[in-house]
Amino acid sequence: MKLHDCEQGSARWYELRVGVPTASQFHRIVTPGGKLSKQARGYAFRLAAETLLGRSLESLAATEWMDRGKELEPEAVRMYEFDHDAATRPVGFVTTDDGRLGASPDRLVEGARAALEIKCPAPQTHLEYMLDGFGADYLPQVQGQLLVGEFDWVDRYSYHPEMPPVLARTGRDEAYIAILRAALAEFCDLKDELVERARRAGLFAERREILRPIDQLAEILAL
């Protein structure tokens, strides 16, 4: 595991994520039941395009509740730390040693090999978490965080200032992690193959040759 010190949402954070499958998107590769997702090939093309272009294609659009979630996150962290007598610290981006997989948990838990995922959702979503739990849809993401970060457990903590908080602690499911690891390795190979096919076709090399005289002209005009 490698920790990359940066602020989540910063230019550096987006740069580190270019072409890297991240835990929040693992559901696009593997289903909660452990099968390959129908979205996997489309996601591989997106990451291949990011690699070839050298920039993130993630949407920067934010909704009202995403913005409110960011505002409430410090308050949620303080409540979690107080309720569970824990200390946490921010983390930028976490990757596997080979850099092929990544994750961005909201915090790391001090004194433990663990991470914290904070959610500050709309009231109806928080109520759903209270009554029905977080659901199986989060399984690829959470087990993916455990895989990438080599954590023992991950706490998911939903906070709303007008309702009781919701906490779910998830430990390692080694059987599912093994399935996830194999599927992610196959997916990364597919992404790399797409990148190499595009480069061998020569289109991206030709584009660089066309742009080079323009770059030289710009340098001349700048003198």
Side-chain angles (χ1 to χ4, degrees), residues 83-153:
D83 284 347
H84 302 282
D85 192 23
T88 67
R89 62 183 175 92
V91 59
F93 192 49
V94 180
T95 63
T96 49
D97 288 336
D98 59 12
R100 298 187 89 191
L101 305 173
S104 296
D106 293 316
R107 314 280 292 192
L108 298 181
V109 181
E110 299 281 14
R113 293 173 53 185
L116 172 64
E117 192 72 20
I118 295 287
K119 299 184 180 301
C120 301
Q124 63 271 20
T125 304
H126 185 79
L127 181 61
E128 182 178 351
Y129 293 154
M130 291 178 67
L131 299 180
D132 292 345
F134 288 96
D137 290 345
Y138 286 110
L139 182 62
Q141 177 183 359
V142 176
Q143 292 297 328
Q145 289 177 332
L146 292 164
L147 166 62
V148 173
E150 302 174 12
F151 302 127
D152 293 327
W153 47 267

Side-chain angles (χ1 to χ4, degrees), residues 13 27 64 78 96-97 139 145 157 159 182 184 193 197:
W13 183 75
H27 67 281
E64 174 187 352
R78 288 193 296 271
T96 49
D97 288 336
L139 182 62
Q145 289 177 332
Y157 188 74
Y159 175 79
L184 291 171
E193 178 190 349
R197 280 176 56 193

Side-chain angles (χ1 to χ4, degrees), residues 37-65:
S37 170
K38 294 179 180 179
Q39 303 179 60
R41 189 169 180 83
Y43 183 40
F45 270 107
R46 198 196 88 181
L47 294 181
E50 287 189 350
T51 301
L52 291 163
L53 295 174
R55 64 179 178 85
S56 173
L57 299 180
E58 291 187 57
S59 172
L60 299 180
T63 66
E64 174 187 352
W65 286 105

